[in-house]
Amino acid sequence: MIRVVGALFALLAVWPCVGVETEIWVQNELADFEKGTLKKLSVRSDGRLLLAPVFEQIVDTSIPYLWAIAGDGKGTLFVAGGGQGSTSAQILAIDATGKHRVYADVPGMQVQALAVDRNGTLFAGTSPDGKVYRVTPGKAEVFYDPKAKYIWAMGFNSKGDLYVATGDGGEVHRVAPNGQGSVFFRTEETHARSLAIDPKDNIIVGTEPSGLILRVAPNGEGFVVYQSAKREVTAVAVGKDGLIYAAAVGNRSGRSEPSQLSVPPLPIPSASIARPAGGAAPTVATAQPTGPQPPGSQPAGAPVPGGSEFYRIESDGFPRKLWSHPQEIIYAVGFDANGVPILATGNKGKLFRVDSENVWTLLIDAETTQITALHRTPDGRLYAATGNIGKVFRVGPGLEKTGSYESEAYDAGSFSYWGRVATKGAATIETRSGNLERTSTNWSPWAPLNGDRIASPPARFLQY
């Protein structure tokens, strides 16, 4: 295996002797490394391996899915979500040391949205009973009832007004600090699916099913800044540069309801997705829902036809696609301390950093089903919440001290003698070989190189 102690651009060249022929195995592209197993490493789209940010679990909850995370700006984080069949949803408070407690129980199946006002008061939006609660320690009281089924997102403007994105009427409501509110903007869509507020108090709204990204001025005048090629705009965000960023998923010609897993799914006895390689469709085994399903209730592990796209709307209104993936679902968009976009995805929990228009990095490959929400604190620390099971992680700011990469098994086709290895970067390399396609048993032990020569015994298969 490769144990990386610094930045690495790896090239592995192996000369197995098959009869009188010589073959060379080269690994130096992202697609090569995606076939193996990364541990505490990141990999860039240009094939460079890097030490990953520390991904530290700080809370393991008993909540099946966490859908929202927010902070009071004073060191306390709030997380909430829900589970199938629940009659109330817990909100947890996490202090700066990582200790957590139940902050309050909120009536309803799940909390989809959290927001904190400038006084540090917490508000929670529930689904599928669609109410906004003002939450204090041990108490949740109805603050506003939009008469909607779903509350997807919430945010405060600079004047302290709360904006609420709802479904299935596709409305955005404005609520004054005294709890008096009304419809502020009708999207003419089924769902106002995501919401953010820019420095000028414009409301940025993402919709479903037409995949619209709208900018709504403080006077209520709306303008579609972009219609994506996808069905559901699952996340919108405003960068420190003031530009709009948005993520959209699913084919517009597909489902008749939001495809993101945002209402607790049916229990899944087993689900697996093959790691994408060469554009092949994943193999999925899941339980299937029966009867009418609420928006977003797709089972965990089921692919979304069409995958995801991520956009930036330039200052002149030009929409630019920065990233896309045929299988990954983008659940949330955040930013690192430098303002670089971070994408939280499933159904195999990953964090992607979009470094530029041409380069992106698979930052974290987590052992979880979905990374569902992101929050950056005023001191620049990034936190991630997950689903199945609900956990909270701190992302960085430091890097792992070491990491490792375990390659796929190379099949030489017949019994072979191994040659030399050439690499670029700081790494220690070990290999093992065998004549069984499965690498779990009955292979030779891991062995370091002898200079630059492979010390593993001749065989059909090789792994590094």
Side-chain angles (χ1 to χ4, degrees):
M1 65 183 68
I2 291 182
R3 298 189 182 278
V4 179
V5 295
L8 172 71
F9 182 88
L11 178 147
L12 179 68
V14 181
W15 287 260
C17 296
V18 185
V20 295
E21 297 180 0
T22 299
E23 296 183 5
I24 299 176
W25 182 28
V26 178
Q27 296 230 283
N28 62 359
E29 297 180 353
L30 172 66
D32 301 327
F33 296 120
E34 280 189 322
K35 297 172 186 177
T37 302
L38 295 163
K39 294 182 179 179
K40 300 182 179 181
L41 291 182
S42 301
V43 57
R44 280 190 356 182
S45 53
D46 60 5
R48 184 178 295 270
L49 290 175
L50 305 164
L51 289 169
V54 173
F55 192 63
E56 178 186 6
Q57 178 182 304
I58 61 172
V59 174
D60 184 353
T61 77
S62 59
I63 300 172
Y65 287 86
L66 295 177
W67 293 117
I69 181 170
D72 65 359
K74 301 176 183 177
T76 299
L77 293 177
F78 301 102
V79 293
Q84 185 74 15
S86 300
T87 57
S88 66
Q90 285 187 338
I91 297 177
L92 303 182
I94 308 168
D95 67 20
T97 68
K99 293 181 180 179
H100 69 282
R101 69 186 191 280
V102 176
Y103 191 72
D105 287 310
V106 179
M109 184 184 295
Q110 71 166 4
V111 171
Q112 175 70 26
L114 293 173
V116 178
D117 70 11
R118 54 193 172 190
N119 298 317
T121 304
L122 178 66
F123 295 81
T126 61
S127 295
D129 56 347
K131 292 182 176 63
V132 178
Y133 291 85
R134 177 165 46 203
V135 185
T136 54
K139 184 179 181 180
E141 57 183 357
V142 175
F143 177 69
Y144 179 68
D145 185 355
K147 309 299 182 184
K149 190 171 184 180
Y150 301 99
I151 293 178
W152 295 115
M154 303 190 301
F156 285 96
N157 71 359
S158 64
K159 298 178 180 179
D161 293 329
L162 178 65
Y163 289 84
V164 183
T166 71
D168 45 7
E171 299 171 341
V172 177
H173 291 241
R174 179 171 58 190
V175 189
N178 63 3
Q180 298 298 310
S182 61
V183 175
F184 173 69
F185 184 79
R186 290 182 172 89
T187 66
E188 300 182 354
E189 290 275 281
T190 305
H191 296 272
R193 184 61 188 79
S194 48
L195 179 146
I197 301 176
D198 74 10
K200 297 180 180 179
D201 280 345
N202 295 307
I203 313 302
I204 312 302
V205 183
T207 75
E208 190 277 342
S210 299
L212 306 181
I213 303 164
L214 297 113
R215 180 176 56 238
V216 186
N219 64 3
E221 183 176 327
F223 180 75
V224 175
V225 297
Y226 185 56
Q227 181 176 20
S228 78
K230 301 300 180 184
R231 179 181 186 84
E232 179 183 357
V233 180
T234 54
V236 291
V238 178
K240 66 180 183 180
D241 52 12
L243 301 183
I244 298 170
Y245 295 82
V249 308
N251 289 328
R252 241 189 278 152
S253 60
R255 301 164 57 90
S256 61
E257 66 271 6
S259 55
Q260 185 201 13
L261 181 64
S262 38
V263 173
L266 297 175
I268 305 301
S270 64
S272 62
I273 290 188
R275 185 180 298 273
T283 301
V284 182
T286 67
Q288 296 299 318
T290 56
Q293 296 298 309
S297 61
Q298 181 178 346
V304 174
S308 297
E309 293 182 346
F310 177 62
Y311 318 100
R312 181 179 66 212
I313 311 300
E314 306 292 357
S315 57
D316 62 358
F318 182 79
R320 189 180 302 277
K321 184 168 71 174
L322 301 179
W323 182 93
S324 64
H325 198 286
Q327 281 93 30
E328 299 290 347
I329 306 170
I330 301 175
Y331 285 84
V333 174
F335 301 93
D336 68 11
N338 297 315
V340 180
I342 303 292
L343 311 180
T345 75
N347 280 315
K348 296 293 184 180
K350 296 177 182 177
L351 287 180
F352 293 90
R353 185 180 64 211
V354 183
D355 302 290
S356 69
E357 296 175 18
N358 302 312
V359 177
W360 52 267
T361 302
L362 171 53
L363 205 61
I364 299 290
D365 192 347
E367 295 180 358
T368 188
T369 306
Q370 297 97 10
I371 301 179
T372 53
L374 298 171
H375 176 74
R376 187 164 61 88
T377 58
D379 62 1
R381 290 183 180 271
L382 184 65
Y383 292 85
T386 70
N388 197 17
I389 295 291
K391 299 179 182 181
V392 180
F393 294 83
R394 182 186 295 115
V395 185
L399 299 178
E400 299 286 358
K401 292 182 173 59
T402 63
S404 66
Y405 174 75
E406 187 173 303
S407 76
E408 63 174 332
Y410 172 71
D411 183 0
S414 62
F415 184 84
S416 301
Y417 295 89
W418 311 113
R420 303 177 187 274
V421 173
T423 64
K424 296 180 181 179
T428 298
I429 297 180
E430 298 175 357
T431 64
R432 63 178 177 178
S433 60
N435 292 300
L436 182 67
E437 186 174 7
R438 300 188 306 273
T439 59
S440 57
T441 58
N442 300 318
W443 274 47
S444 70
W446 290 106
L449 299 180
N450 182 9
D452 62 353
R453 296 192 65 89
I454 294 173
S456 299
R460 173 175 171 174
F461 297 97
L462 182 75
Q463 187 181 31
Y464 73 88

